[in-house]
């Protein structure tokens, strides 16, 4: 009987050794990647509350890869392979994905993450692993300061807040403004602060500042407080689902002010949700589908053909981030992450769908901000400004 | 008779043995540096989740008090220890202990009034508590609100996580075998009978709550120092549910069950990555299937024990009286 037990132990141990050698050894030596393929990773929320941005960014990135591969690829005919991973907008998942992309897939660079929280975590890991990441849409002010391996193609929060403040003060000539922001959201807070700062600096006055929580359905209390101060403009830096509700409720109580916001407004859902109430509002965004420039229209045509849907701003930004990486890999001359990052930093005057950009010292793009409005139930381009 | 019992396979024993071998193997890989960072990262989260699940099991499974606020205690531990590390620059272990104590203190303060409630009512009260903690964190200046806390030194090592998980399990096992543990179990089985037998029910309920909160707080601290960045979003209601699912799936009251379920549920989403968008659908479907076939959880109230392994070597299981 005792012998039987020993035998079992031996068999289990032998199995363990086999498993050990099968899974964990030899992986390190398989570094000779097929020379004709350059792998790029993509991280974004393809499920969960931010999925609409993640999916759009992914679609944009896939389009860019298709375009580049169709026109002969990079580095003398190598094809780009995009490896997409879903992080649900979650930081823990992002850590796992970063490790996986760097180690298992051996990517050269990564497009993403899409939202600011996960990008903060990914940025630390990018620095530690010397892996360049380019976020299409993470607008948090400080994320690119975390490591020199982080860049982005969207403008940051305190870049667009002042643009709207300047537009409200100088182009529309407004003197008083109220702010209604989402205090559970870092993006909303960043925009609210930078708008307030610039607006008062230009001689305007912030007469009311009210907060709400993401997921609130009833904004009447805050809107009543705002209406009591009778401001000419109400700045609402929030996402379209909240914005639509706010616009509807403000109209219902007869609050007569110009509503304005940031790139979170840029979704067809805003017009679908708010209807008439959205008329005449202004918001800053990354690009406008009403822009008649050739680049934008060509992108829209391809996007509609492939996905049979309208992109929001994350689509073109995903496209541009991928384009930027491909361009950097080409200029680096080889698929080496550190060299690619040097090339990213040196990017000058690259023209993407969302405009022409170069980088500032923290790898934030210096580019035009689009101001859009809603006119007759459609988005319309108002102006493109450089701050 | 001896013939019959020999044929009965001692599954618990084999499972324990396999677990022990796996543990040794994992550590050999870790120490030899052969384990890829991807697996190492997942292992870290497994360890933290084990601490959370086992400590919630103390409240929900062993004492039978249905708590839905575990993420709240985790958040307190995470923020307190992170702020201590950032501002006071104390060493990690002190920060972790302070985080745990802060969570335990809150557990006592909240536990005293709410533990008078039972069942669903207690569940709602603890759910509310978790949300209050999250909203307070969102609105305080020192926590940087929704922007999250950055710049936390990333000092958590995988060995530390393992060590704390080990300590947590040992604590729970020893507790279960002590007078106090028996008292907690008796409260789960019948509160009135327990009180009639002279057990101070309020004291023991609050004790379980505070001890569970302490370990959750330490787990939060480990999490904060592992990620280097925390935001209130990390500790929302869904996080509490995730931990609860691990406990229920493992079997309410079974510590080894919690550990096994945690390992499975933490690795599963990563293992399913190949299915892309259908990943979470599959994950949820698997949960449903498991609960359909084993409504009492993977382990029920049983435990895996070294004792069972010895039975294999001393000649098969004799009378298997365990259920």
């Amino acid at each position: 009987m005792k012998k039987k037990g020993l035998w079992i132990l031996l068999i289990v141990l032998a199995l363990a050794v086999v498993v050990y050698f099968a899974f964990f050894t030899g992986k390190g030596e398989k570094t000779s990647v097929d020379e004709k393929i350059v792998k790029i990773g993509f991280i974004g929320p393809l499920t969960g509350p931010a999925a609409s941005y993640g999916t759009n960014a992914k679609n944009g990135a896939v389009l860019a890869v298709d375009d580049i591969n169709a026109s002969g690829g990079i580095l003398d005919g190598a094809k780009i392979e995009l490896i997409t991973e879903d992080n649900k907008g979650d930081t823990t998942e992002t850590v796992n994905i970063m490790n996986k992309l760097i180690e298992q897939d051996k990517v050269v660079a990564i497009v993403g993450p899409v939202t600011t929280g996960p990008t903060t975590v990914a940025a630390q890991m990018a620095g530690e692993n010397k892996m360049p990441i380019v976020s299409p849409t993470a607008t948090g002010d400080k994320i690119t300061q975390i490591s020199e391996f982080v860049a982005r193609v969207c403008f940051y929060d305190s870049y667009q807040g002042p643009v709207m403040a300047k537009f409200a003060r100088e182009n529309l000539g407004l003197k008083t403004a109220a702010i209604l922001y989402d205090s559970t959201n870092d993006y909303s807070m960043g925009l609210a602060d930078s708008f307030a700062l610039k607006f008062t600096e230009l001689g305007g006055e912030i007469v009311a500042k009210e907060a709400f929580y993401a997921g609130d359905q009833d904004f009447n209390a805050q809107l009543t407080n705002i209406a009591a101060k009778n401001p000419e403009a109400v700045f609402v830096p929030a996402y379209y689902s909240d914005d639509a509700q706010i616009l509807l409720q403000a109209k219902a109580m007869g609050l007569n002010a110009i509503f304005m916001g940031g790139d979170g407004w840029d979704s067809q859902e805003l017009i679908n949700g708010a209807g008439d109430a959205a008329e005449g509002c202004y918001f800053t965004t990354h690009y406008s589908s009403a822009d008649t420039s050739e680049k934008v229209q060509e992108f829209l045509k391809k996007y509609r053909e492939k996905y049979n849907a309208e992109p929001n701003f994350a689509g073109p930004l995903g496209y541009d981030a991928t384009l930027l990486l491909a361009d950097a890999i080409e200029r680096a001359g080889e698929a080496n992450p550190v060299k690619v990052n040097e090339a990213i930093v040196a990017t000058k005057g690259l023209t993407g769908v969302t405009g022409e950009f170069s980088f500032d010292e923290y790898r934030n793009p210096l580019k035009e901000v689009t101001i859009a409005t809603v006119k007759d139930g459609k988005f319309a381009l108002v102006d493109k400004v450089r701050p | 008779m001896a013939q019959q019992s020999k044929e009965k396979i001692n599954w618990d024993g084999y499972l324990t043995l396999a677990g022990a071998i796996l543990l040794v193997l994992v550590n050999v890989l870790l120490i030899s540096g052969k384990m890829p960072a991807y697996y190492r990262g997942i292992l870290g989260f497994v360890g933290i989740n084990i601490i959370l699940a086992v400590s919630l099991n103390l409240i929900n499974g062993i004492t039978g008090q249905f708590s839905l606020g575990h993420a709240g205690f985790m958040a307190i531990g995470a923020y307190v220890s992170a702020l201590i590390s950032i501002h006071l620059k104390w060493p990690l272990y002190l920060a972790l202990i302070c985080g745990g104590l802060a969570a335990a203190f809150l557990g006592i303060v909240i536990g005293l009034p709410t533990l008078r409630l039972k069942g669903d009512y207690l569940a709602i009260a603890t759910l509310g508590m978790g949300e209050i903690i999250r909203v307070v964190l969102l609105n305080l200046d020192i926590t940087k609100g929704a922007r999250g806390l950055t710049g936390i030194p990333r000092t958590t090592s995988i060995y530390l996580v393992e060590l704390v998980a080990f300590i947590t399990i040992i604590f729970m096992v020893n507790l279960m075998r002590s007078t106090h543990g028996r008292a907690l179990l008796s409260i789960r089985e019948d509160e009135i009978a327990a009180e009639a037998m002279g057990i101070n029910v309020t004291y023991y309920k609050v004790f379980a709550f505070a001890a569970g909160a302490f370990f959750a707080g330490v787990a939060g601290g480990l999490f904060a120092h592992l990620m280097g960045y925390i935001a209130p979003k990390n500790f929302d209601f869904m996080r509490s549910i995730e931990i609860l699912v691990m406990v229920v799936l493992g079997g309410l009251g079974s510590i080894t069950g919690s550990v096994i379920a945690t390992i499975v549920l933490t690795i599963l989403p990563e293992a399913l990555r190949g299915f892309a968008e259908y990943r979470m659908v599959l994950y949820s479907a698997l949960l449903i299937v498991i609960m359909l076939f084993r409504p009492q959880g993977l382990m029920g109230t049983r435990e895996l024990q070294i004792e069972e392994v010895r039975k294999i070597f001393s000649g098969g299981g004799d009378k298997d009286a365990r259920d």
Side-chain angles (χ1 to χ4, degrees):
Chain A
M1 283 302 183
K2 280 212 156 161
K3 269 192 177 159
K4 193 184 160 203
L6 270 178
W7 273 114
I8 293 164
L9 185 66
L10 270 178
I11 292 169
V12 177
L13 269 179
L15 270 177
V17 172
V18 171
V19 170
Y20 173 83
F21 281 105
F23 283 99
F24 293 105
T25 52
K27 243 186 184 150
E29 287 101 77
K30 266 192 269 172
T31 39
S32 60
V33 189
D34 189 342
E35 291 202 319
K36 287 289 170 196
I37 285 181
V38 174
K39 287 184 185 173
I40 292 181
F42 173 90
I43 307 176
L46 305 178
T47 54
S52 112
Y53 302 115
T55 317
N56 267 275
K58 187 195 97 177
N59 289 347
V62 170
L63 265 189
V65 168
D66 288 352
D67 276 2
I68 294 158
N69 285 345
S71 60
I74 49 172
L75 297 177
D76 296 324
K79 296 263 184 282
I80 296 179
E81 186 190 335
L82 192 73
I83 298 166
T84 57
E85 294 291 355
D86 172 25
N87 71 354
K88 300 193 286 182
D90 178 62
T91 47
T92 313
E93 296 244 347
T94 307
V95 170
N96 289 334
I97 296 171
M98 281 294 285
N99 278 327
K100 175 181 176 285
L101 287 176
I102 294 170
E103 213 167 51
Q104 315 265 301
D105 299 321
K106 302 197 188 310
V107 296
V108 177
I110 294 169
V111 177
V114 166
T115 44
T116 298
T119 309
T120 310
V121 173
Q124 298 168 350
M125 298 181 72
E128 282 160 21
N129 294 290
K130 302 204 182 310
M131 169 60 56
I133 63 174
V134 178
S135 174
T137 52
T139 53
D141 279 352
K142 288 195 174 132
I143 52 165
T144 55
Q145 295 173 26
I146 294 171
S147 150
E148 61 196 277
F149 282 85
V150 189
R152 62 177 142 204
V153 292
C154 56
F155 42 68
Y156 50 96
D157 292 341
S158 25
Y159 192 81
Q160 58 171 325
V163 170
M164 189 41 93
K166 202 174 160 196
F167 179 78
R169 191 72 195 89
E170 291 176 357
N171 297 45
L172 302 179
L174 306 176
K175 287 189 201 73
T176 53
I179 295 175
L180 178 58
Y181 71 105
D182 176 357
S183 69
T184 66
N185 191 305
D186 45 353
Y187 156 83
S188 193
M189 285 162 75
L191 243 72
D193 290 348
S194 63
F195 175 88
L197 201 71
K198 187 77 180 176
F199 197 72
T200 37
E201 191 188 303
L202 292 171
E205 193 194 348
I206 304 291
V207 290
K209 197 171 176 187
E210 295 285 330
F212 66 91
Y213 294 143
D216 281 1
Q217 297 298 319
D218 181 9
F219 303 93
N220 279 306
Q222 292 94 330
L223 288 170
T224 309
N225 286 347
I226 287 173
K229 298 281 167 57
N230 205 16
E232 290 174 295
V234 183
F235 184 61
V236 189
Y239 293 128
Y240 55 84
S241 48
D242 296 323
D243 300 333
Q245 281 302 315
I246 290 169
L247 288 172
L248 283 173
Q249 290 172 22
K251 192 182 163 84
M253 72 161 55
L255 178 55
N256 203 7
I258 299 173
F259 277 80
M260 32 188 64
D263 54 345
W265 285 51
D266 192 0
S267 169
Q268 190 58 37
E269 297 300 315
L270 180 82
I271 297 178
N272 296 349
D276 287 354
E279 284 294 310
C281 67
Y282 291 97
F283 57 88
T284 48
T285 185
H286 305 268
Y287 96 113
S288 164
S289 55
D291 191 339
T292 49
S293 87
E294 192 191 330
K295 275 261 179 197
V296 173
Q297 290 308 319
E298 196 189 317
F299 170 82
L300 284 173
K301 188 169 150 270
K302 280 186 200 149
Y303 194 100
R304 287 173 186 141
E305 262 170 27
K306 185 159 172 125
Y307 301 108
N308 198 18
E310 261 324 279
N312 61 24
F313 66 87
L317 286 171
Y319 186 95
D320 282 0
T322 316
L323 200 71
L324 170 78
L325 276 183
D327 173 69
I329 295 171
E330 186 70 53
R331 277 185 291 117
E334 60 176 306
N336 172 322
V338 178
K339 293 229 168 105
V340 169
N341 195 56
E342 284 167 11
I344 291 174
V345 175
T347 301
K348 275 226 157 56
L350 179 77
T351 312
V353 178
T354 62
E356 180 191 311
F357 49 89
S358 311
F359 285 121
D360 70 3
E361 57 181 322
Y362 289 120
R363 298 157 303 282
N364 297 309
L366 299 164
K367 63 175 188 184
E368 290 169 332
V369 178
T370 299
I371 296 175
T373 183
V374 179
K375 207 174 168 187
D376 305 326
K378 273 187 177 153
F379 287 125
L381 176 72
V382 177
D383 202 359
K384 290 204 260 187
V385 230
R386 274 184 187 272
Chain B
M1 199 188 91
Q3 201 60 25
Q4 256 188 345
S5 61
K6 208 177 72 185
E7 279 164 19
K8 185 158 188 176
I9 303 171
N10 181 356
W11 282 115
D12 285 3
Y14 287 118
L15 256 176
T16 314
L17 192 63
I21 291 170
L22 196 71
L23 191 70
V24 171
L25 188 73
V26 163
N27 276 295
V28 166
L29 278 170
L30 255 182
I31 295 165
S32 68
K34 279 237 167 92
M35 183 176 285
Y38 180 39
Y39 297 142
R40 225 164 42 225
I42 297 172
L43 203 62
F45 294 127
V46 168
I48 288 172
N49 284 340
I50 285 179
I51 303 170
L52 288 167
V54 169
S55 60
L56 183 66
N57 204 348
L58 176 66
I59 303 171
N60 281 22
I62 297 169
T63 321
Q65 307 299 309
F66 201 80
S67 166
L68 275 176
H70 223 49
F73 293 130
M74 186 190 175
I76 293 291
Y79 271 94
V80 168
S81 65
L83 288 170
I84 285 177
S85 289
I86 293 173
H87 295 296
L88 303 176
K89 306 219 163 26
W90 286 2
L92 178 61
Y93 68 94
L94 272 181
L96 287 180
I97 291 171
C98 289
L101 288 177
F105 176 71
L106 200 77
I108 295 170
V109 170
I110 293 168
L112 275 175
T114 55
L115 284 170
R116 288 162 205 278
L117 303 168
K118 284 181 189 138
D120 304 349
Y121 305 104
L122 177 67
I124 291 169
T126 49
L127 188 155
M129 174 213 72
E131 283 302 289
I132 290 170
I133 293 175
R134 194 177 62 87
V135 173
V136 167
L137 291 174
L138 273 173
N139 287 294
L140 285 180
D141 280 336
I142 192 164
T143 61
K144 305 262 166 64
R147 286 191 186 116
L149 209 52
T150 48
I152 307 165
R154 301 178 69 198
T155 39
T156 298
S157 75
I158 184 109
Y159 301 109
L160 184 67
V161 176
E162 249 187 289
L163 179 74
V164 178
F166 191 68
I167 292 174
T168 313
I169 294 171
I170 296 289
F171 174 85
M172 294 299 163
V173 170
N174 281 343
L175 180 70
M176 286 273 274
R177 290 177 177 166
S178 71
T179 326
H180 304 289
R182 303 285 183 219
L184 297 176
L185 282 174
S186 72
I187 292 173
R188 178 182 75 186
E189 296 305 330
D190 193 327
E191 211 175 308
I192 296 168
E195 198 152 20
M197 298 309 288
I199 286 166
N200 187 343
V201 173
T202 313
Y203 167 79
Y204 276 111
K205 278 187 184 175
V206 174
F207 167 76
F209 217 58
F214 175 81
F215 284 107
V218 173
L222 287 170
F223 177 78
H225 291 81
L226 186 72
M227 303 292 282
Y229 166 82
I230 46 173
K233 228 185 266 173
N234 294 127
F235 311 106
D236 60 0
F237 173 58
M238 283 316 290
R239 191 84 184 89
S240 291
I241 296 291
E242 258 173 50
I243 307 167
L244 183 71
V245 167
M246 288 167 188
V247 173
V248 174
L249 189 80
L252 280 164
S254 168
I255 293 170
T256 38
S258 295
V259 173
I260 294 174
T262 305
I263 296 174
V264 171
L265 290 187
T266 313
I267 294 179
L268 202 58
E270 288 302 316
L272 292 174
R273 279 219 174 274
F275 296 96
E277 283 93 336
Y278 301 104
R279 182 168 65 114
M280 293 327 282
V281 177
L282 269 174
Y283 175 85
S284 314
L286 279 171
L287 279 186
I288 295 171
V289 169
I290 295 174
M291 287 328 284
L292 276 178
F293 286 97
R294 282 202 69 84
Q296 71 275 50
L298 289 173
M299 294 295 293
T301 50
R302 286 184 311 171
E303 296 289 354
L304 297 178
Q305 290 174 332
I306 306 290
E307 194 63 24
E308 304 287 336
V309 182
R310 218 167 59 205
K311 282 190 201 149
I312 302 176
F313 293 106
S314 62
D318 30 354
K319 280 161 282 166
D320 195 79
R322 305 181 65 82
D323 185 15

